[in-house]
Amino acid sequence: MLKSLQSIQQLKYGEKSVLQQQNWLAFLYQTEQKNVNLEQVDSLAEIEDHPVLSYTERTLQILNKLSLPQDSKHILEEVLKWCEVAKCGSASMRKIWLDAGYPLAIHNLASAQIYATAQMEKLISERNFVEEELIYTLIQTHGLIGQYIRGEARYQQLQPLAQLISLQIIPDPIMRELLIALNQCIIEAVSPTLWKNVKEKVNEVILWLITGTDDHEVPFQVRLKQLRQHAILYGEDFEKEIQRIPDFEKAEERLALFFHKVDLWYVESALSDFTLEEFIKIFLLLIRTSPSLTLGHITFEPLMRDLHYDYKGKKAVNLYKKRIIEAYLNELSVEELLYHEIPANQHVSLKIDLYDHVQFIGVTFCFSNAGEKLIEFCQEAEKDPVYERAIILLYDFFGFRKDAFDRLQNEKSYLADMNHAQNFKKKIVDYVVGDTILDIGPGGGFLLDLLSTRYPDAKVIGIDIAANVIAELERKKQREQKGWEVLQGDALDLQQYVGEGQVDTIIFSSILHEMFSYIPYEGKKFHPAVIGQALQSAFLALRPNGRIIIRDGIMTEPKNLVRNIHFRNKADIAFFNRYVHDFKGREIKYKWLDEQTVSLPINDSMEFLYTFTWGEESYPHEVQEQFGYFTPSEYKDCIQQSLGSEANIMIFEHYLQEGYEEHLLDRISLTDESQQPVRLPDSTCFIIIEKGSL
């Protein structure tokens, strides 16, 4: 085992005396700093006390397993021991380093200087200057090959390494072996998958350095694409998006001039969730507000930290901050950023921090007092439906929502929920006809995938009114190379998007109740005419013999049946009381039979039990929605009145969706007015309407 690993083990066993002999270890251990790339963690709360020391240990463990000559292992062990120390150190030691002029924000440069200072404390007879020069240069340039591949560092930052190689003090085969092993240690310690993905490119760059080939600086657009790799992997169509940016050609010259002289840190961690256009605008803002003529280094670490927080136990982008920034950037055009004065925004601004004495800045966004309070309010109010309505009002007031269907922080969970009930969606696919298929409200895209797989030659289109849903589906389509299409459009006016008589199958899977609940019609929500209008719009878009397929909520008839819900757990009574106050669909009428048993109409009881089943996680949205809106008779009447005799109801089924009874078994008992146990009423309908032939 490497001696450095033995020292770390001793420290773990409580032998802190080892810190007196190993100052590199003391620096890594005696620190309040937690400098860690947030790409590497799942929860901010679970970041360990010494993340840099743990990372260093992982690099050394990888080195320990490599088959290398002992001299090479010794050199790399020294490099790995020292290369992260500038990220740590006690407060007093960091002050000493800063006073000495070490650029701590550029940790590879500062770590190399800290290593150099430690060597100068040795007796001259104990020093090996060739070895020290090699170790110093490897510390100074460690990680830069990876940063070059990511687009963060320019190739010229590797010049100290190239110059050392050119001196030929280390034979080329040994130098190449050292560099490959060093990069494996520092990259694989972050992620074995990452090392597997970049290993070939790392070897290529090392070969350039060893052979002394010409300069390998990349053109601006190539570097820009490198910086967007995470976004591209997640589904950004880089070439398509760059063409969409207004006046990009005008911006390119200025951006290329800026990028040719700066090196970047933490770009991907901070900016990959922003669109390419927003990314470009942030850099144009930087050029305007920073000392751009003298800049050499830019770190987005402050923004990375400010933009993330723990949401329900997991690291997440703080969508409240992100939307405020997005709204700000949306107000600015590329042309304005290039040529005109821009007005100050009262809610948000780009913030520049000057670091040390070098040409180095940190970047983030700062918010007004009102903005900070808004963000704080939103974070505190994420589960309460009353506060959620207030959040939406605040967002609308400040203009931070993308549209009326923007679900803010719950967007991802909403899209995941839309992919539930997969077995029922598979049943839908069995009844599809023709070669042009519309999925209304496609959510996370599960049904689009099923349709494309079953009908590979068909044109499959998802239509949704929400901008965020469409953006997410476009990314999914790009990253998974899907053949379906998506359109942002209004299901109440399909002819505007697909024309009349052009579609064979139109699917409404768990979406009509959302339209009923959220779309104001004739001045109010929860208007039955919304369903009629949606069916009429779909029917006009159908070809002869085309089909409308509906899977959605259903009410029970007769409506005057009464059900008694007995809560087995008294704590659940508070949930019911909260629900009847918060539910927006209609007034829930009920009476308490005893302290744990409530009596209410059958459809009100089932509407409550839907939300009760989903629980607190979905409560804020469920109380805004009414799942059952028609009884079977009412649904058939709506179809006939809306579509006329040309509509043929081929299938009309209703049933209790699996899982409800099992989930509620230990929580409630359900009885009729005679106190006799009864099953839950039907929850779901499955309807197929066929359009008559000409």
Side-chain angles (χ1 to χ4, degrees):
M1 181 187 288
L2 297 173
K3 289 182 180 180
S4 54
L5 286 174
Q6 292 175 357
S7 297
I8 293 172
Q9 288 301 312
Q10 287 178 269
L11 180 61
K12 285 183 174 181
Y13 288 127
E15 296 179 32
K16 293 190 178 181
S17 59
V18 71
L19 299 176
Q20 298 173 6
Q21 295 104 32
Q22 307 285 345
N23 51 358
W24 64 272
L25 186 54
F27 297 150
L28 294 175
Y29 181 77
Q30 295 171 341
T31 180
E32 297 177 3
Q33 301 285 117
K34 289 190 177 183
N35 289 321
V36 59
N37 191 331
L38 297 186
E39 288 178 291
Q40 304 165 22
V41 299
D42 294 322
S43 168
L44 304 186
E46 294 175 7
I47 295 176
E48 53 192 315
D49 289 337
H50 299 92
V52 179
L53 175 56
S54 295
Y55 168 73
T56 300
E57 183 180 15
R58 292 197 300 275
T59 66
L60 290 164
Q61 287 168 342
I62 295 166
L63 174 63
N64 193 54
K65 294 176 183 178
L66 295 181
S67 297
L68 292 170
Q70 197 57 40
D71 287 348
S72 295
K73 273 198 172 182
H74 165 71
I75 288 167
L76 293 179
E77 182 179 17
E78 288 300 302
V79 174
L80 295 174
K81 281 163 47 176
W82 289 93
C83 66
E84 302 290 324
V85 292
K87 292 181 177 180
C88 302
S90 64
S92 59
M93 181 54 69
R94 292 185 68 80
K95 185 177 185 307
I96 291 170
W97 290 339
L98 283 171
D99 291 343
Y102 299 167
L104 297 183
I106 312 175
H107 78 273
N108 57 329
L109 298 183
S111 293
Q113 292 183 348
I114 294 167
Y115 166 79
T117 300
Q119 303 316 299
M120 291 175 65
E121 294 172 359
K122 294 181 179 180
L123 295 173
I124 193 77
S125 58
E126 297 175 352
R127 297 177 64 183
N128 180 331
F129 284 90
V130 171
E131 182 181 286
E132 286 180 4
E133 192 70 40
L134 175 59
I135 292 168
Y136 174 86
T137 305
L138 291 176
I139 295 171
Q140 183 186 24
T141 58
H142 88 276
L144 292 180
I145 289 176
Q147 283 184 266
Y148 168 74
I149 293 169
R150 287 162 64 110
E152 293 182 331
R154 297 162 298 156
Y155 189 74
Q156 71 179 61
Q157 289 298 99
L158 294 167
Q159 283 309 300
L161 189 55
Q163 290 166 3
L164 181 67
I165 291 170
S166 70
L167 295 176
Q168 294 288 301
I169 59 174
I170 305 294
D172 286 350
I174 295 176
M175 196 68 190
R176 184 176 184 183
E177 180 182 62
L178 285 170
L179 290 172
I180 292 171
L182 175 60
N183 279 274
Q184 179 177 351
C185 291
I186 61 179
I187 296 174
E188 191 175 305
V190 173
S191 163
T193 301
L194 179 60
W195 169 244
K196 183 179 178 181
N197 291 339
V198 302
K199 180 179 178 180
E200 186 176 336
K201 184 63 179 178
V202 167
N203 281 319
E204 181 183 15
V205 176
I206 290 170
L207 185 60
W208 294 344
L209 292 165
I210 296 295
T211 56
T213 54
D214 293 337
D215 184 31
H216 291 276
E217 298 293 0
V218 297
F220 165 66
Q221 279 205 31
V222 174
R223 189 176 177 192
L224 180 60
K225 190 172 184 178
Q226 290 173 324
L227 290 167
R228 298 296 295 174
Q229 280 307 300
H230 186 274
I232 291 168
L233 286 173
Y234 191 64
E236 177 178 278
D237 188 335
F238 180 82
E239 280 73 20
K240 186 176 179 181
E241 291 301 316
I242 208 166
Q243 290 173 4
R244 288 179 176 175
I245 300 174
D247 298 313
F248 176 75
E249 297 81 4
K250 298 177 183 177
E252 186 171 7
E253 182 180 354
R254 191 171 300 181
L255 288 167
L257 190 64
F258 183 66
F259 269 69
H260 97 282
K261 62 178 183 177
V262 296
D263 297 291
L264 308 166
W265 305 76
Y266 300 102
V267 176
E268 203 164 78
S269 302
L271 299 183
S272 62
D273 284 296
F274 290 95
T275 66
L276 179 60
E277 182 172 347
E278 290 163 351
F279 183 98
I280 292 296
K281 288 180 176 179
I282 287 170
F283 275 96
L284 290 175
L285 267 175
L286 258 176
I287 294 172
R288 294 177 65 105
T289 56
S290 68
S292 58
L293 293 177
T294 59
L295 267 185
H297 295 268
I298 302 170
T299 179
F300 287 88
E301 183 182 16
L303 180 58
M304 174 188 74
R305 294 187 178 279
D306 289 345
L307 206 55
H308 291 86
Y309 78 130
D310 278 339
Y311 176 68
K312 298 179 180 176
K314 291 290 185 181
K315 181 197 70 177
V317 172
N318 189 317
L319 196 58
Y320 313 120
K321 290 185 177 181
K322 181 170 177 280
R323 288 295 169 80
I324 295 172
I325 295 168
E326 287 173 342
Y328 170 48
L329 296 173
N330 189 52
E331 293 174 356
L332 305 172
S333 70
V334 170
E335 183 175 356
E336 285 175 323
L337 287 165
L338 286 170
Y339 305 119
H340 306 292
E341 292 300 316
I342 55 176
N345 186 291
Q346 60 179 317
H347 302 304
V348 62
S349 61
L350 193 72
K351 181 174 181 284
I352 303 294
D353 291 322
L354 298 175
Y355 288 156
D356 309 329
H357 66 279
V358 295
Q359 297 80 34
F360 191 66
I361 61 169
V363 179
T364 188
F365 284 87
C366 63
F367 305 93
S368 65
N369 289 335
E372 289 285 1
K373 292 296 182 184
L374 170 62
I375 294 162
E376 203 177 300
F377 175 84
C378 292
Q379 289 178 202
E380 288 296 320
E382 281 164 343
K383 287 188 177 180
D384 194 306
V386 176
Y387 283 110
E388 179 170 287
R389 293 197 300 276
I391 289 170
I392 291 172
L393 286 172
L394 282 167
Y395 265 67
D396 286 341
F397 177 77
F398 286 105
F400 299 151
R401 288 209 297 164
K402 293 197 170 181
D403 56 45
F405 301 91
D406 185 347
R407 288 175 176 259
L408 311 174
Q409 192 62 276
N410 290 294
E411 192 72 51
K412 288 186 179 179
S413 60
Y414 164 71
L415 293 178
D417 288 345
M418 289 291 283
N419 279 343
H420 288 170
Q422 295 179 2
N423 289 335
F424 295 100
K425 293 189 176 186
K426 291 175 182 176
K427 179 180 178 179
I428 287 171
V429 175
D430 292 337
Y431 290 92
V432 167
V433 295
D435 56 12
T436 304
I437 308 163
L438 294 188
D439 179 16
I440 309 299
F446 179 78
L447 186 53
L448 293 175
D449 289 344
L450 282 181
L451 292 165
S452 294
T453 300
R454 178 75 71 86
Y455 306 104
D457 296 327
K459 184 176 184 180
V460 178
I461 305 170
I463 293 185
D464 204 291
I465 199 168
N468 285 356
V469 172
I470 293 300
E472 184 63 31
L473 285 170
E474 284 181 337
R475 287 191 288 267
K476 174 182 170 69
K477 172 182 168 70
Q478 176 68 15
R479 70 175 178 267
E480 298 178 15
Q481 296 299 292
K482 299 296 185 180
W484 38 257
E485 301 174 16
V486 289
L487 293 172
Q488 184 177 6
D490 185 354
L492 301 183
D493 187 17
L494 287 174
Q495 296 71 48
Q496 180 180 341
Y497 310 99
V498 298
E500 292 189 16
Q502 300 298 311
V503 181
D504 298 296
T505 300
I506 298 176
I507 300 167
F508 294 94
S509 178
S510 292
I511 196 67
L512 283 171
H513 77 275
E514 293 208 354
M515 296 170 66
F516 175 74
S517 302
Y518 289 108
I519 296 177
Y521 196 85
E522 296 178 350
K524 67 175 184 176
K525 297 180 182 179
F526 305 100
H527 197 311
V530 167
I531 307 299
Q533 177 62 35
L535 295 178
Q536 288 174 11
S537 172
F539 208 66
L540 283 171
L542 284 181
R543 292 189 177 106
N545 300 316
R547 290 179 178 177
I548 297 171
I549 302 176
I550 299 168
R551 179 192 173 273
D552 211 13
I554 195 77
M555 297 174 79
T556 291
E557 52 191 1
K559 288 182 173 183
N560 61 359
L561 293 175
V562 172
R563 291 293 180 260
N564 304 325
I565 300 173
H566 176 76
F567 294 98
R568 302 186 190 280
N569 186 343
K570 286 186 178 182
D572 288 334
I573 295 170
F575 190 103
F576 177 83
N577 288 330
R578 185 155 49 105
Y579 172 84
V580 296
H581 177 269
D582 293 335
F583 181 57
K584 297 305 165 191
R586 58 182 181 268
E587 181 183 359
I588 303 293
K589 296 181 179 180
Y590 62 96
K591 64 178 179 180
W592 288 98
L593 302 181
D594 58 49
E595 63 178 6
Q596 288 183 235
T597 308
V598 65
S599 177
L600 65 169
I602 187 169
N603 290 307
D604 287 350
S605 71
M606 194 58 190
E607 197 66 47
F608 162 70
L609 290 174
Y610 294 137
T611 301
F612 190 53
T613 302
W614 282 101
E616 290 288 354
E617 182 76 12
S618 299
Y619 181 84
H621 288 300
E622 293 299 317
V623 294
Q624 314 291 332
E625 300 176 6
Q626 184 172 317
F627 188 54
Y629 44 90
F630 288 149
T631 65
S633 296
E634 289 170 343
Y635 224 133
K636 291 174 182 177
D637 288 344
C638 176
I639 292 169
Q640 290 171 355
Q641 291 172 14
S642 301
L643 306 184
S645 60
E646 200 178 350
N648 173 34
I649 300 176
M650 293 180 58
I651 295 177
F652 196 110
E653 302 173 349
H654 46 90
Y655 50 86
L656 178 63
Q657 186 173 312
E658 291 181 10
Y660 278 118
E661 287 187 314
E662 294 81 359
H663 187 81
L664 293 169
L665 189 63
D666 296 331
R667 304 183 71 186
I668 65 143
S669 60
L670 191 69
T671 60
D672 62 16
E673 287 184 279
S674 302
Q675 306 298 323
Q676 296 301 308
V678 290
R679 67 186 289 275
L680 291 175
D682 287 349
S683 63
T684 308
C685 65
F686 183 74
I687 305 169
I688 297 180
I689 306 165
E690 189 167 87
K691 186 174 185 177
S693 58
L694 294 175

mmCIF file of all heavy atoms in Angstrom, residues 349-367:
data_model
loop_
_atom_site.group_PDB
_atom_site.id
_atom_site.type_symbol
_atom_site.label_atom_id
_atom_site.label_comp_id
_atom_site.label_asym_id
_atom_site.label_seq_id
_atom_site.Cartn_x
_atom_site.Cartn_y
_atom_site.Cartn_z
ATOM 1 N N SER A 349 -29.433 40.868 -11.068
ATOM 2 C CA SER A 349 -28.312 41.400 -11.848
ATOM 3 C C SER A 349 -27.141 40.429 -11.781
ATOM 4 O O SER A 349 -27.033 39.625 -10.850
ATOM 5 C CB SER A 349 -27.880 42.778 -11.327
ATOM 6 O OG SER A 349 -27.457 42.674 -9.975
ATOM 7 N N LEU A 350 -26.290 40.500 -12.793
ATOM 8 C CA LEU A 350 -25.073 39.695 -12.788
ATOM 9 C C LEU A 350 -24.100 40.252 -11.753
ATOM 10 O O LEU A 350 -23.925 41.461 -11.647
ATOM 11 C CB LEU A 350 -24.429 39.724 -14.179
ATOM 12 C CG LEU A 350 -23.323 38.698 -14.426
ATOM 13 C CD1 LEU A 350 -23.916 37.296 -14.558
ATOM 14 C CD2 LEU A 350 -22.536 39.048 -15.690
ATOM 15 N N LYS A 351 -23.498 39.365 -10.982
ATOM 16 C CA LYS A 351 -22.588 39.788 -9.923
ATOM 17 C C LYS A 351 -21.185 39.247 -10.222
ATOM 18 O O LYS A 351 -21.008 38.060 -10.474
ATOM 19 C CB LYS A 351 -23.075 39.266 -8.569
ATOM 20 C CG LYS A 351 -22.213 39.678 -7.370
ATOM 21 C CD LYS A 351 -22.887 39.224 -6.074
ATOM 22 C CE LYS A 351 -22.079 39.644 -4.852
ATOM 23 N NZ LYS A 351 -20.890 38.811 -4.657
ATOM 24 N N ILE A 352 -20.204 40.158 -10.193
ATOM 25 C CA ILE A 352 -18.808 39.815 -10.472
ATOM 26 C C ILE A 352 -17.995 39.974 -9.195
ATOM 27 O O ILE A 352 -18.033 41.019 -8.554
ATOM 28 C CB ILE A 352 -18.220 40.726 -11.574
ATOM 29 C CG1 ILE A 352 -19.057 40.645 -12.852
ATOM 30 C CG2 ILE A 352 -16.770 40.379 -11.841
ATOM 31 C CD1 ILE A 352 -19.045 39.319 -13.524
ATOM 32 N N ASP A 353 -17.244 38.934 -8.829
ATOM 33 C CA ASP A 353 -16.318 39.009 -7.696
ATOM 34 C C ASP A 353 -14.889 38.947 -8.228
ATOM 35 O O ASP A 353 -14.549 38.041 -9.007
ATOM 36 C CB ASP A 353 -16.545 37.838 -6.731
ATOM 37 C CG ASP A 353 -17.865 37.948 -5.995
ATOM 38 O OD1 ASP A 353 -18.238 39.081 -5.634
ATOM 39 O OD2 ASP A 353 -18.525 36.911 -5.784
ATOM 40 N N LEU A 354 -14.061 39.890 -7.823
ATOM 41 C CA LEU A 354 -12.646 39.876 -8.214
ATOM 42 C C LEU A 354 -11.868 39.025 -7.230
ATOM 43 O O LEU A 354 -11.986 39.192 -6.020
ATOM 44 C CB LEU A 354 -12.094 41.300 -8.240
ATOM 45 C CG LEU A 354 -12.758 42.248 -9.242
ATOM 46 C CD1 LEU A 354 -12.194 43.655 -9.083
ATOM 47 C CD2 LEU A 354 -12.539 41.752 -10.670
ATOM 48 N N TYR A 355 -11.037 38.095 -7.747
ATOM 49 C CA TYR A 355 -10.281 37.189 -6.898
ATOM 50 C C TYR A 355 -8.796 37.548 -6.897
ATOM 51 O O TYR A 355 -8.192 37.751 -7.962
ATOM 52 C CB TYR A 355 -10.414 35.743 -7.391
ATOM 53 C CG TYR A 355 -11.767 35.129 -7.140
ATOM 54 C CD1 TYR A 355 -12.218 34.070 -7.925
ATOM 55 C CD2 TYR A 355 -12.595 35.588 -6.125
ATOM 56 C CE1 TYR A 355 -13.450 33.486 -7.699
ATOM 57 C CE2 TYR A 355 -13.828 35.007 -5.889
ATOM 58 C CZ TYR A 355 -14.257 33.962 -6.674
ATOM 59 O OH TYR A 355 -15.478 33.388 -6.443
ATOM 60 N N ASP A 356 -8.222 37.560 -5.716
ATOM 61 C CA ASP A 356 -6.772 37.668 -5.549
ATOM 62 C C ASP A 356 -6.228 38.849 -6.367
ATOM 63 O O ASP A 356 -6.888 39.850 -6.568
ATOM 64 C CB ASP A 356 -6.081 36.357 -5.933
ATOM 65 C CG ASP A 356 -6.716 35.166 -5.219
ATOM 66 O OD1 ASP A 356 -7.202 35.365 -4.090
ATOM 67 O OD2 ASP A 356 -6.736 34.066 -5.785
ATOM 68 N N HIS A 357 -4.993 38.706 -6.836
ATOM 69 C CA HIS A 357 -4.394 39.792 -7.602
ATOM 70 C C HIS A 357 -4.290 39.435 -9.082
ATOM 71 O O HIS A 357 -3.769 40.199 -9.875
ATOM 72 C CB HIS A 357 -2.980 40.091 -7.075
ATOM 73 C CG HIS A 357 -2.023 38.959 -7.312
ATOM 74 N ND1 HIS A 357 -1.980 37.877 -6.493
ATOM 75 C CD2 HIS A 357 -1.093 38.748 -8.280
ATOM 76 C CE1 HIS A 357 -1.034 37.032 -6.931
ATOM 77 N NE2 HIS A 357 -0.495 37.536 -8.015
ATOM 78 N N VAL A 358 -4.777 38.233 -9.449
ATOM 79 C CA VAL A 358 -4.706 37.818 -10.849
ATOM 80 C C VAL A 358 -5.943 38.279 -11.594
ATOM 81 O O VAL A 358 -6.901 38.766 -10.990
ATOM 82 C CB VAL A 358 -4.575 36.279 -10.955
ATOM 83 C CG1 VAL A 358 -3.275 35.822 -10.353
ATOM 84 C CG2 VAL A 358 -5.747 35.593 -10.284
ATOM 85 N N GLN A 359 -5.928 38.101 -12.904
ATOM 86 C CA GLN A 359 -7.057 38.514 -13.731
ATOM 87 C C GLN A 359 -8.127 37.419 -13.684
ATOM 88 O O GLN A 359 -8.358 36.684 -14.646
ATOM 89 C CB GLN A 359 -6.605 38.758 -15.178
ATOM 90 C CG GLN A 359 -5.604 39.893 -15.330
ATOM 91 C CD GLN A 359 -4.198 39.465 -14.967
ATOM 92 O OE1 GLN A 359 -3.807 38.330 -15.201
ATOM 93 N NE2 GLN A 359 -3.423 40.365 -14.385
ATOM 94 N N PHE A 360 -8.784 37.342 -12.543
ATOM 95 C CA PHE A 360 -9.654 36.199 -12.266
ATOM 96 C C PHE A 360 -10.929 36.682 -11.596
ATOM 97 O O PHE A 360 -10.867 37.472 -10.650
ATOM 98 C CB PHE A 360 -8.907 35.226 -11.346
ATOM 99 C CG PHE A 360 -9.572 33.894 -11.177
ATOM 100 C CD1 PHE A 360 -9.696 33.028 -12.240
ATOM 101 C CD2 PHE A 360 -10.049 33.510 -9.940
ATOM 102 C CE1 PHE A 360 -10.302 31.795 -12.078
ATOM 103 C CE2 PHE A 360 -10.655 32.278 -9.766
ATOM 104 C CZ PHE A 360 -10.781 31.417 -10.839
ATOM 105 N N ILE A 361 -12.091 36.229 -12.093
ATOM 106 C CA ILE A 361 -13.353 36.657 -11.491
ATOM 107 C C ILE A 361 -14.242 35.452 -11.200
ATOM 108 O O ILE A 361 -14.138 34.399 -11.839
ATOM 109 C CB ILE A 361 -14.130 37.641 -12.405
ATOM 110 C CG1 ILE A 361 -14.490 36.970 -13.739
ATOM 111 C CG2 ILE A 361 -13.360 38.915 -12.622
ATOM 112 C CD1 ILE A 361 -15.478 37.779 -14.575
ATOM 113 N N GLY A 362 -15.108 35.622 -10.216
ATOM 114 C CA GLY A 362 -16.176 34.671 -9.942
ATOM 115 C C GLY A 362 -17.495 35.273 -10.384
ATOM 116 O O GLY A 362 -17.703 36.483 -10.287
ATOM 117 N N VAL A 363 -18.405 34.428 -10.866
ATOM 118 C CA VAL A 363 -19.650 34.908 -11.466
ATOM 119 C C VAL A 363 -20.853 34.248 -10.804
ATOM 120 O O VAL A 363 -20.863 33.035 -10.578
ATOM 121 C CB VAL A 363 -19.688 34.600 -12.981
ATOM 122 C CG1 VAL A 363 -21.000 35.078 -13.602
ATOM 123 C CG2 VAL A 363 -18.507 35.238 -13.677
ATOM 124 N N THR A 364 -21.849 35.050 -10.498
ATOM 125 C CA THR A 364 -23.144 34.544 -10.074
ATOM 126 C C THR A 364 -24.194 35.613 -10.385
ATOM 127 O O THR A 364 -23.887 36.611 -11.043
ATOM 128 C CB THR A 364 -23.154 34.164 -8.579
ATOM 129 O OG1 THR A 364 -24.380 33.504 -8.278
ATOM 130 C CG2 THR A 364 -22.988 35.384 -7.686
ATOM 131 N N PHE A 365 -25.403 35.404 -9.950
ATOM 132 C CA PHE A 365 -26.452 36.413 -10.045
ATOM 133 C C PHE A 365 -26.882 36.779 -8.634
ATOM 134 O O PHE A 365 -26.938 35.927 -7.752
ATOM 135 C CB PHE A 365 -27.664 35.893 -10.832
ATOM 136 C CG PHE A 365 -27.452 35.859 -12.319
ATOM 137 C CD1 PHE A 365 -26.878 34.756 -12.932
ATOM 138 C CD2 PHE A 365 -27.827 36.931 -13.114
ATOM 139 C CE1 PHE A 365 -26.677 34.717 -14.302
ATOM 140 C CE2 PHE A 365 -27.626 36.909 -14.493
ATOM 141 C CZ PHE A 365 -27.048 35.798 -15.079
ATOM 142 N N CYS A 366 -27.174 38.042 -8.419
ATOM 143 C CA CYS A 366 -27.707 38.464 -7.126
ATOM 144 C C CYS A 366 -29.119 38.990 -7.325
ATOM 145 O O CYS A 366 -29.481 39.454 -8.411
ATOM 146 C CB CYS A 366 -26.805 39.494 -6.461
ATOM 147 S SG CYS A 366 -26.638 41.038 -7.372
ATOM 148 N N PHE A 367 -29.905 38.925 -6.258
ATOM 149 C CA PHE A 367 -31.318 39.248 -6.344
ATOM 150 C C PHE A 367 -31.662 40.391 -5.396
ATOM 151 O O PHE A 367 -31.000 40.596 -4.374
ATOM 152 C CB PHE A 367 -32.159 38.019 -6.014
ATOM 153 C CG PHE A 367 -31.816 36.827 -6.860
ATOM 154 C CD1 PHE A 367 -30.885 35.891 -6.433
ATOM 155 C CD2 PHE A 367 -32.394 36.667 -8.107
ATOM 156 C CE1 PHE A 367 -30.545 34.801 -7.225
ATOM 157 C CE2 PHE A 367 -32.052 35.578 -8.905
ATOM 158 C CZ PHE A 367 -31.132 34.647 -8.466
#
